[in-house]
Amino acid sequence: MKIQEVIDALELFAPLPLQESYDNAGLQVGLTGADVSGALLCLDVTEDVIDDAVRRGFNLVISHHPLLFRGLKQLSDADYVQRTVWKAVMNGVCIVSMHTNLDNAQGGVNHKIAQLLGLHDVEFLADVRTVSDPRNGETPETQLTGGSGIIGCLQMPMGAEEFIHHVKKTFGVQCCMTNQLLDRPISKVAICGGAGAFLLKNAIRKGADAFITGEVHYHEFFGADQQIQIMSIGHYESEQYTTEIFKQIIAERCPQLPVAEYGSTNPICYW
């Protein structure tokens, strides 16, 4: 199997046209015509991730966050991005990232969060759009729908404090940043993994009782008390199960490919 075949499988699930305009999902580094020896799955690409892939004899790294967001003007040892690119090139490791296209895909990152929390009647929260997915060979073009964030309902309403503990336990969160506790039961929940505070107003308009995301700026906590329970659980924490989606895609479409999941790449420490 070629590396390109694995990329094709990923992009059939989360087509690149679903990514946001600022993003740089897709191929980051490497030659896709090489035979694939194995895939290491991670949230972020670091030098240690490349080292681990080399130790395992894998020549493909699949990440959620792109290593390259903007063009490099040099390739040296000046920062971790350049060092990681250099190490990947020197060891023949290909790097591919599925970022906001995977966030926005049906069954993607936000749907994974909803599944873990036990939500039902899930639908996209905002910016719903349909993209064309031209498949390889003679398979006809398929229309795929995506969108920003999701909203769904709990199986049973919960009090605010109970719901916060439920979220913390589900995602192994040590500390959750919230606004004032909601004085009504939480039933409808909006979600956006990562930096999703831009969808807070959409969540309020849709009647969500709670909004879960990875990052919320200080001033964004003002003005919504008793309108909605804002919950910021950490960027890494909100997206940590993304590698399970990669693993599922590969198991279904490239079942013979050896895969492994890298451990935590969270750069933030809690004391």
Side-chain angles (χ1 to χ4, degrees):
M1 176 177 289
K2 304 296 184 184
I3 290 175
Q4 186 61 54
E5 295 177 70
V6 183
I7 297 175
D8 290 342
L10 294 167
E11 292 183 4
L12 286 175
F13 184 90
L16 290 182
L18 284 178
Q19 71 178 313
E20 302 297 334
S21 59
Y22 62 81
D23 203 6
N24 187 40
L27 178 65
Q28 304 282 293
V29 176
L31 304 177
T32 62
D35 292 336
V36 60
S37 57
L40 183 60
L41 317 177
C42 59
L43 198 70
D44 310 280
V45 188
T46 65
E47 293 175 87
D48 288 341
V49 169
I50 302 300
D51 287 337
D52 191 31
V54 172
R55 278 194 298 269
R56 295 174 183 272
F58 291 178
N59 63 351
L60 176 60
V61 167
I62 302 171
S63 72
H64 182 46
H65 295 141
L67 176 64
L68 300 174
F69 265 105
R70 46 191 73 85
L72 296 177
K73 294 188 176 181
Q74 65 179 25
L75 189 54
S76 68
D77 61 353
D79 56 50
Y80 92 91
V81 172
Q82 294 183 53
R83 291 192 299 270
T84 303
V85 170
W86 180 261
K87 184 169 287 189
V89 171
M90 294 302 293
N91 287 281
V93 175
C94 189
I95 302 172
V96 176
S97 301
M98 298 285 112
H99 191 212
T100 54
N101 55 319
L102 192 65
D103 291 333
N104 296 338
Q106 183 74 41
V109 176
N110 295 315
H111 286 82
K112 182 67 175 180
I113 297 172
Q115 176 192 350
L116 291 165
L117 291 174
L119 302 190
H120 63 88
D121 294 334
V122 171
E123 61 184 36
F124 289 112
L125 179 61
D127 192 24
V128 180
R129 55 198 183 275
T130 301
V131 300
S132 296
D133 176 24
R135 301 185 178 219
N136 292 336
E138 298 181 0
T139 306
E141 186 175 82
T142 302
Q143 298 291 314
L144 296 178
T145 301
S148 299
I150 62 95
I151 188 167
C153 296
L154 292 169
Q155 298 295 333
M156 294 289 291
M158 295 183 183
E161 188 171 354
E162 180 187 7
F163 181 66
I164 290 169
H165 284 299
H166 173 55
V167 174
K168 288 177 64 177
K169 181 178 180 181
T170 301
F171 292 92
V173 174
Q174 299 180 42
C175 179
C176 176
M177 297 174 64
T178 74
N179 57 341
Q180 181 186 93
L181 289 183
L182 205 64
D183 60 9
R184 67 175 188 270
I186 291 174
S187 178
K188 186 178 286 189
V189 180
I191 293 168
C192 184
F198 69 98
L199 289 173
L200 176 58
K201 291 182 180 179
N202 298 83
I204 293 172
R205 283 196 296 268
K206 287 271 192 172
D209 303 302
F211 177 64
I212 303 170
T213 189
E215 297 180 34
V216 177
H217 292 299
Y218 174 80
H219 292 285
E220 292 169 321
F221 280 97
F222 284 102
D225 286 347
Q226 299 311 317
Q227 278 189 291
I228 193 168
Q229 189 72 67
I230 302 171
M231 301 177 61
S232 175
I233 65 173
H235 197 123
Y236 178 88
E237 287 80 0
S238 71
E239 298 181 326
Q240 62 186 294
Y241 299 109
T242 302
T243 54
E244 293 184 7
I245 303 174
F246 293 147
K247 196 171 181 180
Q248 178 183 348
I249 295 168
I250 292 172
E252 291 176 356
R253 304 182 183 185
C254 311
Q256 303 305 315
L257 179 64
V259 297
E261 295 177 78
Y262 189 81
S264 173
T265 55
N266 192 355
I268 299 172
C269 299
Y270 300 93
W271 291 84

